[in-house]
Amino acid sequence: MKSYGNGTEYNGKGKNRRKSTILFLAAAVVILGAVTVSGIFLEGTATETDFSRTNLAPGAGGLFGTDWMGRDMFARTLAGLSLSIRIGIVTAAVSAVIALLAGTAAATLGRKADAVISWCIDLVMGIPHILLVMLISIACGRGFAGVVAGVALSHWPSLARVIRGEVIQLRQAPYILVAEKLGASKLQNVRRHMLPHLLPQFLTGLILLFPHAILHEASVTFLGFGLSSEQPAIGVILSESMQYLTTGRWWLALFPGLALVLAVVLFALLGERLRQLMDPSSVHE
Amino acid sequence: MKLEAKEVTFYYRGRKKKPVLENFSISIESGERVGLRAPSGRGKTTLCRLLAGYERPQEGKILLDGRPISEYKGVCPVQMVWQHPETVVDPLLRLRDTFAEAGEIDPLLTEKLHIEKGWMDRFPAELSGGELQRFCLARALHPATRFLLCDEISAMLDLVTQAQIWALLLDEARRRKLGLLIVSHNRALMEQVCTRIVELPWNN
Amino acid sequence: METILEIEHMSVFFTQYERGIRRRILPVIRDLTLSVGAGQIVAVVGASGSGKSLLAHGILGILPYNSHVEGTIRYAGELLTPERSAELRGREIALIPQGVNYLDPLMKIGPQLTKGSREEKVHRRTRRALERYGLGRETAEMYPFELSGGMARRVLIASAVTGTPRLIIADEPTPGLDAKAAERILGHFRELADEGAGILFITHDLELALTVADQVAVFYAGETIEAAPAEDFSDVSRLRHPFTKALWHAMPEHGFNPISGAQPYPDEKAHGCPFAGQCSECMSDCRETDRIPLREFRGGMVRCLYPGEETVL
């Protein structure tokens, strides 16, 4: 008689990916939060001039050096980054709400509404982002309001498209049809079935809007169509430092630029990791 | 009670020339168990969807006791049990919540369907088709249900589960005088469970 | 007879996260042993959720990312590594998938079958394959959503046999087909087997499996509990495992008698025979003996401490 032994038990080697993801998310949120808050407090320091300490390289003149008016570049960078993040949050939130409304309307208000909204989506997507942001910003009188309006009104189409598709699919989902037949009202269905499906898409979409919003704000400001030059915005800092780069003051552009890139990367990673955590196709990774 | 389709014609958008059903009539009385047989692709599922009110026919009427099925509000007396149970439960809800949606379900029924308590805390993806189908059946056997449309409900199940489900369903149907429409490819099964068998016309 | 596929002690585990960061490992297939010879049709029969589809995906190396496979799979005598199966699948190993959503919804049927080839030979072969399953020329011009369930299934089968596969893995190819179409397809399986291909026919439908299979392996809760020649099913007393007997008695033509209870979950069965909860012959040591081995018994294989006992129904 032959008998077969049994395979050994697999006991789950390898790291617990979910734990590390959550740790990363917490760390990213704390860092970005700290930058935002400290930037608000440093706004005063960032505009303080001290002509006894101009053009100092990093080390002698603080962590990031000082500029031609003796302003501390570390404070300026933090304040600028903080402003960028705040603008990013406002514009991303506004964009996401527009996307939610437009997407849902396209999916639920019938064929004609869908055609009109889809046409608008294509239209906005067809124009290069930076151009659109500049045009809207100029039309709204530049400054803070101009930038916010410009970025907020140009970033919603891709998320709107995702939400439209999702809602169309959900409306036809057999489990929602069955719930209706079992006497569930429209409102109950929206709350119980639609929202939980839309929320992950919406949240990740929202967070992935941040890096775009921040970058576009900075570039429009850099080009001179955005925030006014008194404000310590990253775009302003970078465009001013351009004239001093050739004289060897590399620190004026390097640190603020690097900080901007880091913040953007952090936001992008945050969104990506969040998507991994919430997307059913990778939830057990 | 009587559920009937009267001279129903149905086609999908843009396919008017090739209707799925054309001028088709059928009627089911309470207590009857009507088997429906046809080759694949002849609109059996579509007929079930029409009778349950998920679709509206372009021509003809679906009547329950003389009233159009779309006029019934609240829990519909005609319930359909789908071929693929995994499509009719919300993948993000625990089964307890999906179940709660159908209101109070007789605990005796869940016991007879061998639905175990532990399953309630699970998500649909963690249960097999056979287990989900038991849930769907318990949900469709709502106290208000008078007619049950069974669209290949056991085609994906193993023989033991199939026999379990049908034994219970026949028992319930007899006790509550339900009208049943049974779609299946299995001739032996049909002969075991149906009181009469209808063939769909071969229009192609 | 040449052995085409040989599976020894295959186990498949899944890593899953519960609420929060708690993680668990689910064994979904345990210690599976199976072999398919050239010209043979081996049916794998089991309840839904017993891990049948995972077996197919395991052989093809297309299991989801959170799984882990142990044991050995040999194809034509050589170890089947994921790289090798990636190379062979679609050529020598063909899958007939379970769901109709395995078709690309945005591509017409024709191009999906020819895989974009422009050779006249390939086109001709595709047309022939479609015809063979009663699908006309117009089918090639249709999109998947225009097909009925049965037609889509025939398209899937046609796509698997357009090449010259040596191993065909058919994962539930028949639900949604009328009896005639199912018979025709099984007839084609027989033809393909006679031409020398090995066929692994995964199904829940024992009756249908018996009409065509040479060997039947019965699955329960991720384990093979019995492997028997198909002719043993003509007489219930020749069957070995109590679950196989229960299946036999549950056939509509054999009385339609159900047994109570349901298959346990991968994480539920702590120890003992997984069938203990539903078994009418269950003894006290069945609940205590861990990992009952699969052993030879009366010309087949069985995983039971007291095989072949009379079932009282």
Side-chain angles (χ1 to χ4, degrees):
Chain A
M1 188 191 284
K2 237 189 334 186
S3 93
Y4 290 103
N6 291 295
T8 46
E9 202 74 31
Y10 173 60
N11 54 7
K13 288 149 223 135
K15 279 198 309 192
N16 188 325
R17 277 283 299 276
R18 188 174 281 197
K19 210 186 247 170
S20 61
T21 303
I22 288 176
L23 277 177
F24 171 82
L25 290 183
V29 168
V30 167
I31 292 173
L32 291 170
V35 167
T36 315
V37 173
S38 62
I40 295 173
F41 288 113
L42 283 172
E43 228 153 84
T45 331
T47 47
E48 233 168 61
T49 52
D50 179 357
F51 289 97
S52 64
R53 294 166 49 80
T54 53
N55 297 328
L56 292 175
L63 214 46
F64 288 3
T66 57
D67 67 1
W68 64 98
M69 285 160 88
R71 293 177 294 196
D72 181 28
M73 282 310 288
F74 182 67
R76 277 179 75 72
T77 303
L78 272 185
L81 210 52
S82 166
L83 188 64
S84 289
I85 291 174
R86 277 176 286 155
I87 291 181
I89 288 175
V90 172
T91 51
V94 173
S95 261
V97 170
I98 297 175
L100 184 67
L101 294 178
T104 321
T108 50
L109 297 184
R111 270 163 201 290
K112 282 207 183 107
D114 186 19
V116 171
I117 294 172
S118 294
W119 185 80
C120 286
I121 291 177
D122 291 339
L123 182 74
V124 176
M125 275 182 132
I127 305 172
H129 258 168
I130 197 80
L131 192 67
L132 194 63
V133 178
M134 267 160 47
L135 288 176
I136 299 174
S137 177
I138 293 169
C140 293
R142 304 193 191 180
F144 185 82
V147 168
V148 169
V151 179
L153 291 179
S154 58
H155 283 68
W156 55 273
S158 52
L159 184 58
R161 197 174 261 184
V162 169
I163 285 177
R164 171 180 168 272
E166 196 76 6
V167 173
I168 287 179
Q169 212 177 20
L170 279 174
R171 268 162 52 95
Q172 286 299 316
Y175 53 87
I176 289 180
L177 297 178
V178 168
E180 259 167 39
K181 283 283 159 209
L182 284 165
S185 70
K186 278 241 154 63
L187 205 68
Q188 275 174 325
N189 267 332
V190 167
R191 196 170 47 82
R192 212 178 283 142
H193 300 292
M194 299 247 195
L195 285 184
H197 278 92
L198 280 178
L199 198 65
Q201 300 273 0
F202 180 71
L203 275 185
T204 21
L206 172 69
I207 292 182
L208 287 174
L209 274 178
F210 283 164
H212 283 271
I214 292 175
L215 273 183
H216 283 136
E217 175 267 314
S219 18
V220 168
T221 306
F222 176 84
L223 292 171
F225 300 101
L227 297 176
S228 61
S229 53
E230 308 91 70
Q231 276 165 311
I234 293 281
V236 174
I237 297 172
L238 287 178
S239 72
E240 283 178 349
S241 68
M242 278 293 119
Q243 11 177 339
Y244 297 95
L245 267 184
T246 44
T247 55
R249 283 169 225 154
W250 50 271
W251 61 88
L252 293 182
L254 180 71
F255 291 115
L258 216 54
L260 180 68
V261 170
L262 278 180
V264 165
V265 167
L266 214 52
F267 266 122
L269 283 177
L270 197 71
E272 196 50 39
R273 287 293 185 96
L274 198 67
R275 190 190 59 73
Q276 249 176 34
L277 210 62
M278 299 215 267
D279 188 347
S281 72
S282 60
V283 76
H284 293 302
E285 219 162 60
Chain B
M1 277 180 123
K2 188 175 179 187
L3 176 66
E4 53 190 334
K6 271 194 171 164
E7 289 162 9
V8 165
T9 299
F10 180 84
Y11 47 86
Y12 287 104
R13 268 174 58 92
R15 306 216 135 236
K16 197 169 179 176
K17 288 210 185 93
K18 252 188 135 180
V20 188
L21 289 167
E22 199 168 12
N23 234 346
F24 180 74
S25 302
I26 190 173
S27 82
I28 306 161
E29 297 276 349
S30 282
E32 248 190 330
R33 298 190 298 275
V34 181
L36 184 67
R37 248 164 49 89
S40 44
R42 293 293 187 282
K44 295 183 300 279
T45 301
T46 308
L47 179 64
C48 287
R49 288 174 64 102
L50 283 166
L51 284 172
Y54 290 114
E55 306 273 3
R56 282 171 184 232
Q58 276 86 357
E59 280 164 51
K61 287 189 193 115
I62 307 288
L63 302 172
L64 177 63
D65 259 359
R67 259 174 73 200
I69 188 82
S70 50
E71 280 181 18
Y72 286 83
K73 297 283 173 254
V75 182
C76 185
V78 182
Q79 289 290 335
M80 174 169 169
V81 185
W82 299 53
Q83 184 176 0
H84 303 289
E86 60 279 6
T87 59
V88 288
V89 286
D90 190 331
L92 295 185
L93 285 185
R94 282 171 202 279
L95 283 161
R96 181 183 308 288
D97 303 324
T98 300
F99 230 39
E101 206 165 52
E104 280 295 302
I105 286 170
D106 189 359
L108 208 67
L109 193 63
T110 57
E111 195 183 307
K112 275 196 261 177
L113 277 166
H114 304 292
I115 295 174
E116 307 208 354
K117 292 248 154 43
W119 299 359
M120 290 293 196
D121 293 316
R122 290 172 188 274
F123 288 104
E126 298 172 75
L127 291 175
S128 72
E131 286 146 5
L132 284 178
Q133 194 62 292
R134 294 169 204 231
F135 271 100
C136 293
L137 211 56
R139 190 168 63 160
L141 283 169
H142 193 277
T145 305
R146 316 278 7 126
F147 287 89
L148 204 60
L149 313 173
C150 309
D151 181 18
E152 294 273 14
I153 59 167
S154 58
M156 307 300 273
L157 308 181
D158 64 284
L159 289 165
V160 169
T161 314
Q162 170 175 303
Q164 274 178 1
I165 281 185
W166 279 110
L168 170 111
L169 199 53
L170 289 186
D171 195 41
E172 268 319 278
R174 281 197 197 102
R175 195 170 59 77
R176 289 165 51 176
K177 280 192 86 45
L178 298 178
L180 256 55
L181 180 73
I182 297 151
V183 175
S184 174
H185 286 309
N186 189 330
R187 194 184 294 257
L189 176 91
M190 291 268 228
E191 275 156 17
Q192 285 273 347
V193 298
C194 298
T195 51
R196 78 185 155 98
I197 294 177
V198 172
E199 304 254 350
L200 264 189
W202 287 66
N203 58 329
N204 195 4
Chain C
M1 185 181 62
E2 187 197 357
T3 311
I4 291 190
L5 181 75
E6 209 177 353
I7 301 173
E8 278 180 343
H9 309 305
M10 175 170 150
S11 298
V12 176
F13 303 93
F14 271 79
T15 313
Q16 282 193 335
Y17 286 97
E18 287 171 46
R19 246 180 202 185
I21 56 169
R22 245 173 61 220
R23 192 163 67 159
R24 63 176 179 184
I25 309 288
L26 280 183
V28 282
I29 294 183
R30 292 210 291 194
D31 189 25
L32 173 110
T33 301
L34 189 84
S35 78
V36 182
Q40 215 182 19
I41 301 182
V42 176
V44 174
V45 178
S48 56
S50 61
K52 291 171 305 187
S53 297
L54 294 172
L55 165 66
H57 293 185
I59 297 167
L60 289 160
I62 52 171
L63 282 171
Y65 58 87
N66 57 334
S67 63
H68 168 88
V69 186
E70 279 179 7
T72 53
I73 305 173
R74 276 171 215 283
Y75 171 75
E78 269 179 75
L79 210 60
L80 190 67
T81 56
E83 297 79 45
R84 190 157 170 250
S85 75
E87 198 178 302
L88 290 173
R89 67 183 177 231
R91 293 166 214 253
E92 290 189 25
I93 306 180
L95 172 73
I96 301 173
Q98 179 173 17
V100 285
N101 46 5
Y102 282 72
L103 288 170
D104 184 340
L106 299 179
M107 208 170 161
K108 286 182 179 170
I109 298 302
Q112 290 200 46
L113 294 189
T114 54
K115 301 180 182 91
S117 167
R118 289 201 186 152
E119 277 177 63
E120 184 50 32
K121 204 173 74 194
V122 179
H123 281 257
R124 208 160 345 118
R125 212 160 53 201
T126 308
R127 267 202 304 278
R128 248 205 327 269
L130 284 175
E131 262 162 42
R132 200 169 172 182
Y133 297 103
L135 299 164
R137 262 159 194 252
E138 72 282 359
T139 319
E141 287 302 309
M142 286 171 143
Y143 284 100
F145 79 93
E146 296 176 272
L147 304 174
S148 77
M151 283 165 85
R153 211 164 275 286
R154 281 180 279 167
V155 167
L156 288 172
I157 294 166
S159 81
V161 300
T162 38
T164 42
R166 290 183 65 199
L167 175 65
I168 297 172
I169 301 168
D171 187 5
E172 298 277 11
T174 50
L177 289 183
D178 51 285
K180 235 188 250 143
E183 261 165 47
R184 197 159 55 215
I185 280 160
L186 295 183
H188 286 303
F189 280 2
R190 187 74 263 172
E191 276 171 35
L192 289 165
D194 291 343
E195 286 163 22
I199 295 174
L200 188 65
F201 176 26
I202 298 174
T203 179
H204 66 276
D205 195 336
L206 178 61
E207 293 168 271
L208 205 65
L210 290 177
T211 58
V212 66
D214 303 303
Q215 282 280 327
V216 177
V218 183
F219 245 53
Y220 186 83
E223 295 181 338
T224 11
I225 52 151
E226 177 162 349
E231 59 267 21
D232 281 6
F233 283 84
S234 56
D235 179 3
V236 71
S237 66
R238 278 160 72 184
L239 296 175
R240 299 156 190 84
H241 198 283
F243 177 67
T244 321
K245 290 182 188 172
L247 278 179
W248 193 89
H249 285 294
M251 283 189 192
E253 52 270 56
H254 293 158
F256 215 26
N257 291 316
I259 51 167
S260 63
Q263 182 177 252
Y265 269 99
D267 56 340
E268 264 170 22
K269 43 175 193 238
H271 51 247
C273 174
F275 187 59
Q278 283 185 282
C279 186
S280 55
E281 315 287 311
C282 185
M283 308 279 172
S284 62
D285 50 342
C286 292
R287 293 185 193 278
E288 279 145 28
T289 316
D290 217 7
R291 299 294 177 93
I292 297 163
L294 190 65
R295 59 197 169 110
E296 275 176 19
F297 183 78
R298 284 207 312 240
M301 307 281 277
V302 67
R303 194 191 293 273
C304 178
L305 292 178
Y306 305 100
E309 308 265 323
E310 273 314 299
T311 313
V312 199
L313 265 172

